[in-house]
Amino acid sequence: MTSNRPTLIALTALAPVSWGTTYAVTTEFLPPDRPLFTGLVRALPAGLLLLALARVLPRGVWWGKAAVLGALNIGAFFPLLFLSAYRLPGGMAAVVGSVGPLFVAGLATVLLGERPTPRTLLTGVAAALGVSLVVLRAAGALDLVGFLAALASTASMSTGTVLTKRWGRPEGVGPLALTAWQLTAGGLLMAPVALLVEGAPPALDGRAIGGYVYLALANTAVAYWLWFRGIGRLSATQVTFLGPLSPLTAAVVGWAALGQALTSVQLAGMALAFGATVLGQLGPRTGHSVTEAPGRPLTPLAPSNPVAPQGRALDTPNPRVEPWQGVCSGTSETAREPSGTLNLPARQRS
């Protein structure tokens, strides 16, 4: 995993880069003032497509977990995201997502038992400072409703990211199926709300259809599969520090394609946010340490030469410890028993 770690980070980073184009596509190609319908069309077709490819349904408690994750990562996140996109300039709306590392650092302390290091906190503050430099200097007036919607969408997805890391995946289920469950659940959650609030779907021209196809396939199906795949193999903090790539992409697209001005202060803020993204990837490598699964203490490994209380060595052979047996649960490389506990060798009985 060590040699593939840069590739894994790069592939996961494609997700926020893709999401950074959402704001330009929304404002330039899609019908105005339809955040719920836009979120629905983006999520549900992508979820059903991935579900047909994965051909795996949730079982047991995972019906509820998939619904919760789908609500946080998709069902609530998408409408809030598009509401902010409709009310704010592209760069201003997207950069608010850079405060995600601070949300995740706090939630990971409570839900994952990961205490943030001073470097993590300083890096998160640097990302937030970069956000403020771009937001406060962005062209156009700051719409309070749009700003709060962008902030709420960030909080929703940050919570979903940490819970996705905490719960992991059922045994034998890959990231494709997990992505399909969440997109489908989120889309089904938005469907009745969109119909009640926004009424019948609007008429779509070729430009709008092309925009929705792009959002559903590249921007959602592929991007979210890469994102949840990365969550399973990297720490929650590392993944969320890739988030500032979305506002950076949005700001660049807004400048290059939409003619939105960028001041020198904004450029400095973008550089600061990008530096925080890079620094956030220099954390400890999770594949080389034994960590405790949330709520489940690790079972101690049996000693290499067990000794009975009377001082006689036991006749049982030394247990073999496989390399994967010290890895924390919740990652794709972890082997778990059906109960969800770590599959570590039990202590020999005397």
Side-chain angles (χ1 to χ4, degrees), residues 16-339:
V17 168
S18 173
W19 298 333
T21 65
T22 302
Y23 303 90
V25 173
T26 299
T27 56
E28 298 300 313
F29 291 87
L30 306 185
D33 301 324
R34 290 297 186 108
L36 291 173
F37 176 77
T38 298
L40 171 63
V41 174
R42 180 185 176 189
L44 191 56
L48 294 176
L49 174 62
L50 295 184
L51 194 61
L53 294 175
R55 302 177 67 179
V56 178
L57 291 176
R59 293 183 180 180
V61 297
W62 270 98
W63 284 103
K65 289 183 177 182
V68 171
L69 294 178
L72 290 171
N73 288 322
I74 309 297
F77 173 68
F78 277 11
L80 292 168
L81 177 73
F82 286 109
L83 177 61
S84 66
Y86 282 124
R87 301 182 69 100
L88 298 175
M92 182 188 296
V95 292
V96 179
S98 317
V99 301
L102 293 177
F103 280 100
V104 170
L107 290 170
T109 302
V110 177
L111 298 178
L112 301 179
E114 296 179 1
R115 293 184 179 180
T117 64
R119 188 184 70 183
T120 298
L121 295 177
L122 289 176
T123 305
V125 171
L129 179 59
V131 168
S132 66
L133 291 176
V134 181
V135 170
L136 297 179
R137 298 285 182 171
L142 179 62
D143 183 273
L144 182 59
V145 174
F147 179 78
L148 292 177
L151 195 63
S153 69
T154 301
S156 179
M157 189 169 184
S158 297
T159 305
T161 297
V162 175
L163 285 179
T164 300
K165 184 66 178 179
R166 176 182 174 86
W167 289 340
R169 300 191 301 269
E171 184 178 0
V173 173
L176 186 68
L178 182 64
T179 305
W181 298 348
Q182 296 190 49
L183 289 172
T184 303
L188 292 175
L189 179 65
M190 284 185 285
V193 180
L195 183 61
L196 290 175
V197 175
E198 297 179 352
L204 302 179
D205 56 15
R207 187 180 181 89
I209 292 174
Y212 281 126
V213 170
Y214 166 77
L215 289 181
L217 295 181
N219 191 268
T220 302
V222 176
Y224 270 90
W225 171 69
L226 291 172
W227 183 254
F228 291 127
R229 178 175 175 267
I231 291 176
R233 303 184 181 189
L234 300 170
S235 71
T237 304
Q238 279 181 298
V239 173
T240 195
F241 267 115
L242 295 173
L245 293 177
S246 177
L248 295 183
T249 303
V252 171
V253 171
W255 167 75
L258 305 181
Q260 296 176 353
L262 291 174
T263 66
S264 57
V265 175
Q266 284 180 280
L267 292 175
M270 292 171 61
L272 188 59
F274 182 77
T277 298
V278 175
L279 189 59
Q281 304 311 308
L282 303 180
R285 298 175 181 177
T286 58
H288 295 280
S289 62
V290 179
T291 56
E292 183 175 322
R296 297 185 184 272
L298 288 174
T299 303
L301 291 176
S304 58
N305 187 21
V307 178
Q310 294 82 3
R312 294 183 294 104
L314 296 177
D315 295 331
T316 54
N318 293 338
R320 180 185 177 189
V321 180
E322 299 291 347
W324 46 262
Q325 287 179 311
V327 182
C328 169
S329 66
T331 65
S332 61
E333 289 81 8
T334 302
R336 292 188 294 173
E337 298 175 354
S339 62

